[in-house]
Amino acid sequence: QVRLVESGGGSVQAGGSLRLSCTASGYMFRTYCIYWIRQVPGKEREGVASIDNSGRTTYTDSAKGRFTASQDNSKSIVYLQMNSLKPEDTAMYYCAAIHGTCAEGYVPPPGFGAWGQGTQVTVSS
């Protein structure tokens, strides 16, 4: 069973940067996709980025050019580097691991695959 723990969230001013980490433990699928998802209370979940076991990445339009997903396989950590942060990036950020390939535009529902507990990102103007 895969367990995920996010970290790295915090409060920054607009234009600042944060690097989120998603640390995996337990059994990881050989073929997997890690989704970064964010949610604001009262709004729908939004997929931000994804990265698969081969390192292929996808990004939502709002993240392109500002966010970068990467992974350190030796440490079983997936990162989301977020630069040029905007107030509208404020949300709880989750990582989710799915067995299989990434599907662009797909946002896994809670409980499907393995999810972390989330890390809060707050961007002030």
Side-chain angles (χ1 to χ4, degrees), residues 8-9 11 14 22 35 41 49 52 62 65 67 76 83 85 87 90 93 95 109 114 117:
S11 297
C22 174
Y35 291 93
D52 68 13
S62 63
F67 294 3
S76 299
N83 299 326
L85 283 163
T90 296
Y93 283 71
C95 58
Q117 82 291 348

Side-chain angles (χ1 to χ4, degrees), residues 25-97:
S25 61
Y27 174 76
M28 177 55 85
F29 319 116
R30 292 185 64 182
T31 301
Y32 62 82
C33 178
I34 303 291
Y35 291 93
W36 284 101
I37 300 147
R38 65 187 182 188
Q39 185 161 27
V40 175
K43 294 187 177 181
E44 290 190 2
R45 296 181 314 277
E46 177 187 10
V48 174
S50 67
I51 184 167
D52 68 13
N53 51 286
S54 298
R56 288 184 293 263
T57 56
T58 66
Y59 301 94
T60 191
D61 286 344
S62 63
K64 287 179 181 176
R66 299 189 300 127
F67 294 3
T68 303
S70 61
Q71 60 189 350
D72 183 336
N73 290 328
S74 65
K75 297 180 180 179
S76 299
I77 302 176
V78 171
Y79 300 101
L80 184 67
Q81 178 67 44
M82 305 188 296
N83 299 326
S84 301
L85 283 163
K86 305 175 181 179
E88 51 263 44
D89 294 319
T90 296
M92 184 71 81
Y93 283 71
Y94 301 89
C95 58

Side-chain angles (χ1 to χ4, degrees), residues 99-121:
H99 181 204
T101 57
C102 295
E104 191 166 2
Y106 174 68
V107 181
F112 184 74
W115 284 67
Q117 82 291 348
T119 187
Q120 178 67 38
V121 171

